[in-house]
Amino acid sequence: MAFPGRLLGWLRRWRGGDSATGAADGEPGGTERERTGVWGEAIAAQALEADGYRVLGRRVRIGRDEIDLVATSAATRQLVFVEVKTRASDAFGGGRAAVDRRKRHAQCRAAARYLRRMPQTPFRFDVVEVVGRRDDPSPPRVRHFTNAFPMERRYLHASLHRIARPEP
């Protein structure tokens, strides 16, 4: 039965456990899918930091939505909302293709709420694709897609948002 498991995860998070997996601090907990997602986000954060980004937050919850990584780009001085997609292989399409309309809508909604605290901040949406396995000794392949999609018009407000222009 799924309900007791969900209840137990909520209780662990409420008592100060890991918000990502629902496990108490130090416990490996969570499903295989959740552990793979956390691994992919860590790899993506390392790759972004190596490219000169500063990661401000991981798995940032805003209302019912979650932003995988929030970072700043030193080169462009923009706030970057990053969606990380982790795949074992490209057999069924890449991670960028998995960011569908529903996921873009949720990202835009979360970003609009996040930006309420930071008016007039230039921003963009990026997608980082991590292809590999946690248990594989070879390093994963990381692809970074900048300006992967625009902010939905319904969340734009001229006095609050400055939209980043695509890089040349």
Side-chain angles (χ1 to χ4, degrees):
M1 191 152 108
F3 179 73
R6 287 187 4 210
L7 182 61
L8 184 58
W10 176 84
L11 184 59
R12 285 180 178 158
R13 286 190 302 272
W14 181 76
R15 296 178 74 198
D18 181 10
S19 63
T21 62
D25 293 331
E27 280 185 32
T31 65
E32 181 66 24
R33 186 177 188 165
E34 289 170 336
R35 287 191 296 268
T36 300
V38 170
W39 172 79
E41 289 166 7
I43 297 293
Q46 289 173 358
L48 289 173
E49 287 170 345
D51 287 343
Y53 289 81
R54 181 171 167 234
V55 176
L56 302 176
R58 297 178 187 203
R59 295 193 149 207
V60 179
R61 295 237 19 122
I62 301 168
R64 64 183 177 190
D65 301 315
E66 181 180 274
I67 300 172
D68 292 337
L69 298 172
V70 178
T72 56
S73 170
T76 60
R77 306 185 99 190
Q78 294 174 335
L79 190 63
V80 182
F81 299 104
V82 182
E83 176 64 21
V84 179
K85 288 298 180 184
T86 306
R87 297 283 183 261
S89 72
D90 285 330
F92 297 103
R96 185 177 185 189
V99 182
D100 60 0
R101 184 178 57 85
R102 196 177 91 230
K103 187 64 178 176
R104 288 191 307 266
H105 174 71
Q107 289 294 316
C108 291
R109 182 175 54 221
R113 288 181 181 162
Y114 189 94
L115 289 166
R116 286 181 192 162
R117 296 179 263 154
M118 307 173 73
Q120 293 297 322
T121 303
F123 67 94
R124 70 174 193 246
F125 296 97
D126 290 2
V127 173
V128 174
E129 180 181 272
V130 179
V131 180
R133 295 180 185 272
R134 288 186 310 132
D135 54 358
D136 192 355
S138 62
R141 188 174 67 239
V142 178
R143 286 185 262 182
H144 182 188
F145 301 99
T146 59
N147 259 339
F149 56 92
M151 175 66 107
E152 290 182 357
R153 288 195 179 275
R154 73 177 94 188
Y155 296 117
L156 289 177
H157 190 275
S159 67
L160 290 179
H161 309 306
R162 286 189 4 214
I163 301 170
R165 300 284 180 233
E167 295 175 10

